[in-house]
Amino acid sequence: MLYSKLFGKTVREAPSDAVNISYKLLYKAGFIRESTSGRYFTLPLGQRVQRKIMEIVKDEMDKTGAQEMLSPVLHPLELWKETNRTKTTGFELMTIKDRRGADFALGGTAEEMFVDVVRKFQISYKDLPFNIYQFSSKFRDELRARGGLLRVREFIMKDAYSFDVDEKEFKKEYQNMWQTYTKIFERMGLKTFVVESDNGYIGGEYCHEFVVESEIGETNYLMTEDGKYAAHQDVAKFKREDINSKDKEKPFKIIEQPEWVQTMEDNVKHYKLSKSHFLKNVVYKNRTTGEIIIAVVRGDLEVNKLKLEHVLDAVGQLEDATLGDLKKIGTKPGYVHSWGHKKAKYIGDISLLTVKNFIGGQKEEKTDSMNVNYGKDFKCELADIALAKEGYLSETGKKLIEKKGIEVGNIFQLGLHYSSKMKNSTYIDKDGKEKPYYMGCYGIGIGRTMATIIEKFHDEKGIIWPEAVAPYQIHLIGLDIKNEEIKKKAFVLYNLFTTTYNLEVLFDDREEVTAGEKFADADLIGIPIRLVVSKRTGNKIEYKKRNEKEIILLSSEELLKKLI
């Protein structure tokens, strides 16, 4: 490719709202341009990188026996209604009507579509298992689209869906995809951590994210020092410290308490005990049902709302209770009881079993309760609803370390979540009976992966593309190109590389541009190998790798041996 003819050249300034280095460099190097907020044009250089990422993904997916196909971008809305996801998505679903008045969703994810196409066939156990995948545009009306390609409203995703006879067979494919994803990202130069995460609006019982460690990432996860356990903070499990569970239970009593004791810090100051000895209540409302939920935890812990939503089967439905909500159950801020509000549902954290003789739980204007013991003085449903934090111990007793990273891929166990909700989503078993197929889904964000590569591979001058995904293999620079002899030599080399040896070359053939500008552009674009032809190089060619400082002069024969 002649740089003089390339659409989308370099610029020196990034947009004022560009914070992430990947956004700045993709913009300045001429890989992307914004259309509207969260939607981007992928320019020729960017498209070449995207294609190479997709080729790696396709190559590894095909090796597993997965088959590529393509579904429509417009999803009939009745499919989403079958699974009730018109009300439970974690993003704003975008809808559209056609001229017939039919309702469609702009595909944000394609579980329903793939189930729909499979159920159009008479599947038997002999047809299973299989894995079908696509590369397609996805639409998610994110509230805050920012960070360039890391958080967008429209993007290309590779999404795959596996169909199995049962959970036992599915687990083989899940592990297969786990290993395949690891290979995919390794080929791109990315080291990923597999992090247990929340299945959210996708459904199913468990899932894992493939995360690249990065300070600019939006994934907060906790990992043990030995790396054997990693989980998103929203789902991470931890061992509750035993405070005094072996102590003898004392008789419950109501005690006088100064009116100034209002907060947990006030309790600590007044009673001279750590926060772990007190009861704490957090109140939510289910926005769909209107039900009031009181979460009761040990005073030194925080409620994890997502864990609580899963316990209640109300993902995305809980919101903080208002003053009006508290009035409905007969209380006000600071005076919520740990039991006894008859119009509320109580859920307690398992940490309530680690303390004897709690203080709190029945606060009034001048009194509170003391020597409160779970099981004797009050009961409610117990579950893991507390937020894990750095420094806590994992369930195996290992210290948890907090990390941040960028999610580049995910794998989900869907189980029977979709096949049980969508009619006729079955296969014929050996005994001739219809059974719902067991499913999994597997996604990789293509643009997000491209941005993540840049976040990991760059310097102060620009991008440093790994060879596997670089837009071109060679950046050929012609200096003194107005000189006919130099120009001829450069073009002979360019044609030799591209025609005879089928190498990918970006040739900077511009005549009115200084050497400094050409070198700066080469560093910014980040192609792995830079070659220079000029008067100074004489009969030789200057050779330099983008990620190295050394520059060497080579003859044409020596250069070909190095490149071919």
Side-chain angles (χ1 to χ4, degrees):
M1 180 69 204
L2 300 180
Y3 191 81
S4 62
K5 301 298 182 183
L6 178 69
F7 176 68
K9 294 182 174 58
T10 63
V11 295
R12 293 294 168 245
E13 297 296 328
S16 58
D17 64 340
V19 177
N20 296 339
I21 193 67
S22 58
Y23 186 11
K24 291 179 180 179
L25 294 179
L26 283 167
Y27 185 95
K28 290 167 65 177
F31 285 78
I32 63 170
R33 281 297 181 275
E34 189 172 49
S35 171
T36 58
S37 179
R39 295 179 175 87
Y40 291 87
F41 294 104
T42 305
L43 303 181
L45 284 176
Q47 185 68 353
R48 290 183 70 89
V49 175
Q50 266 201 163
R51 284 291 179 193
K52 290 191 175 183
I53 292 172
M54 291 163 71
E55 285 168 6
I56 290 172
V57 174
K58 176 175 174 55
D59 182 51
E60 293 297 336
M61 289 297 294
D62 289 351
K63 285 177 183 177
T64 71
Q67 303 168 69
E68 185 178 1
M69 59 169 283
L70 186 63
S71 70
V73 169
L74 294 184
H75 299 183
L77 200 59
E78 59 262 26
L79 297 182
W80 284 66
K81 288 179 179 177
E82 271 193 78
T83 59
N84 199 39
R85 283 214 295 175
T86 50
K87 297 179 181 179
T88 60
T89 52
F91 54 89
E92 198 67 33
L93 189 66
M94 301 175 69
T95 59
I96 191 171
K97 285 183 182 287
D98 70 7
R99 65 174 62 197
R100 299 175 295 109
D103 292 314
F104 293 88
L106 286 172
T109 180
E111 285 75 21
E112 288 87 353
M113 289 294 281
F114 274 72
V115 171
D116 189 46
V117 71
V118 171
R119 69 181 175 179
K120 293 179 186 297
F121 295 85
Q122 291 185 328
I123 301 296
S124 84
Y125 72 95
K126 294 179 181 179
D127 300 306
L128 299 173
F130 59 83
N131 187 326
I132 45 181
Y133 73 96
Q134 66 175 350
F135 294 96
S136 70
S137 292
K138 298 290 186 291
F139 304 85
R140 299 182 184 177
D141 200 6
E142 294 281 359
L143 180 63
R144 292 179 295 274
R146 57 188 176 84
L149 299 184
L150 291 176
R151 193 171 185 86
V152 292
R153 294 190 169 100
E154 183 176 339
F155 57 96
I156 294 175
M157 176 184 278
K158 186 286 298 179
D159 47 330
Y161 303 86
S162 64
F163 295 78
D164 286 277
V165 294
D166 55 28
E167 184 176 9
K168 180 181 177 182
E169 292 303 311
F170 158 76
K171 284 184 175 179
K172 295 177 184 177
E173 183 63 6
Y174 196 80
Q175 190 60 37
N176 185 20
M177 286 293 102
W178 185 313
Q179 294 169 352
T180 299
Y181 271 34
T182 300
K183 290 178 186 176
I184 286 170
F185 295 119
E186 281 178 351
R187 285 181 60 177
M188 300 176 197
L190 294 176
K191 179 182 179 181
T192 54
F193 294 97
V194 185
V195 177
E196 184 181 333
S197 57
D198 176 53
N199 52 334
Y201 58 85
I202 297 293
E205 296 175 12
Y206 57 85
C207 71
H208 293 84
E209 293 179 2
F210 286 75
V211 175
V212 176
E213 189 174 353
S214 171
E215 281 304 310
I216 61 95
E218 294 183 331
T219 296
N220 296 311
Y221 62 104
L222 296 163
M223 178 180 286
T224 54
E225 293 170 313
D226 59 8
K228 291 183 178 180
Y229 177 75
H232 198 288
Q233 191 172 33
D234 285 340
V235 301
K237 297 178 181 179
F238 66 99
K239 188 176 183 180
R240 306 302 191 271
E241 179 188 1
D242 190 301
I243 305 302
N244 64 346
S245 67
K246 299 292 190 274
D247 283 8
K248 183 179 179 180
E249 292 184 356
K250 298 177 182 179
F252 173 87
K253 61 181 179 179
I254 299 296
I255 57 170
E256 296 288 328
Q257 182 174 271
E259 289 187 45
W260 63 265
V261 180
Q262 297 290 327
T263 66
M264 193 59 63
E265 286 69 25
D266 293 339
N267 277 320
V268 171
K269 183 178 179 181
H270 179 63
Y271 291 100
K272 304 293 190 292
L273 290 170
S274 67
K275 291 181 180 180
S276 60
H277 286 80
F278 300 90
L279 287 168
K280 179 163 66 176
N281 308 304
V282 183
V283 190
Y284 300 96
K285 181 175 75 172
N286 187 315
R287 67 168 62 92
T288 301
T289 65
E291 184 177 37
I292 304 300
I293 311 297
I294 300 177
V296 187
V297 296
R298 205 172 69 191
D300 61 322
L301 302 177
E302 292 182 24
V303 174
N304 182 323
K305 188 172 76 168
L306 185 60
K307 284 184 178 180
L308 180 60
E309 287 178 335
H310 277 291
V311 171
L312 297 166
D313 195 22
V315 174
Q317 300 305 303
L318 295 190
E319 59 188 18
D320 293 340
T322 64
L323 283 172
D325 296 327
L326 295 181
K327 284 182 180 180
K328 287 178 183 178
I329 62 172
T331 188
K332 60 184 179 180
Y335 293 87
V336 177
H337 291 179
S338 299
W339 67 92
H341 293 304
K342 294 181 180 179
K343 293 183 180 180
K345 180 180 180 67
Y346 284 92
I347 303 290
D349 182 63
I350 54 177
S351 60
L352 299 183
L353 299 173
T354 66
V355 178
K356 293 294 186 184
N357 307 313
F358 274 114
I359 296 173
Q362 291 285 284
K363 180 173 174 55
E364 299 294 347
E365 294 290 344
K366 296 182 180 180
T367 64
D368 206 337
S369 50
M370 177 177 272
N371 301 331
V372 180
N373 288 284
Y374 180 82
K376 180 171 73 71
D377 301 310
F378 76 105
K379 290 182 180 179
C380 61
E381 180 182 348
L382 292 186
D384 174 9
I385 61 168
L387 182 71
K389 292 184 177 181
E390 183 172 42
Y392 291 1
L393 298 181
S394 71
E395 291 184 314
T396 58
K398 304 289 185 181
K399 187 177 180 180
L400 292 171
I401 302 168
E402 186 174 358
K403 292 181 177 290
K404 295 184 72 174
I406 303 169
E407 176 197 351
V408 289
N410 48 53
I411 56 178
F412 291 84
Q413 176 264 18
L414 301 179
L416 306 177
H417 185 84
Y418 291 89
S419 55
S420 63
K421 292 183 177 183
M422 298 180 72
K423 294 179 181 178
N424 303 318
S425 302
T426 59
Y427 71 95
I428 305 300
D429 202 1
K430 290 179 181 179
D431 57 9
K433 294 181 180 179
E434 289 188 4
K435 293 184 178 180
Y437 23 71
Y438 204 97
M439 293 178 59
C441 77
Y442 319 90
I444 292 176
I446 305 303
R448 172 179 278 260
T449 299
M450 178 164 68
T452 303
I453 292 169
I454 296 173
E455 292 291 341
K456 300 303 290 186
F457 299 104
H458 68 270
D459 61 16
E460 70 282 359
K461 295 180 180 179
I463 304 167
I464 305 175
W465 289 111
E467 290 183 19
V469 296
Y472 291 91
Q473 297 166 285
I474 297 168
H475 195 136
L476 175 62
I477 295 176
L479 302 182
D480 313 308
I481 204 133
K482 289 183 179 180
N483 182 298
E484 285 301 319
E485 185 178 346
I486 301 298
K487 188 174 187 177
K488 181 180 178 181
K489 179 181 176 181
F491 270 95
V492 166
L493 199 61
Y494 172 66
N495 290 326
L496 177 68
F497 287 157
T498 56
T499 305
T500 304
Y501 294 103
N502 200 31
L503 296 174
E504 299 173 333
V505 182
L506 179 62
F507 174 24
D508 193 339
D509 61 324
R510 295 173 294 173
E511 295 186 1
E512 304 298 330
V513 178
T514 67
E517 288 177 288
K518 289 188 176 186
F519 289 146
D521 285 346
D523 285 336
L524 181 57
I525 293 169
I527 294 168
I529 295 172
R530 188 189 77 187
L531 303 179
V532 179
V533 176
S534 68
K535 287 180 181 178
R536 190 176 64 83
T537 61
N539 293 324
K540 295 193 174 184
I541 301 116
E542 185 179 286
Y543 173 97
K544 179 186 179 297
K545 285 191 172 183
R546 174 64 181 87
N547 62 348
E548 296 178 1
K549 292 183 178 181
E550 183 184 19
I551 298 173
I552 56 176
L553 291 174
L554 301 171
S555 66
S556 297
E557 293 77 15
E558 290 171 329
L559 180 60
L560 287 172
K561 286 180 181 178
K562 218 168 183 36
L563 297 176
I564 306 305

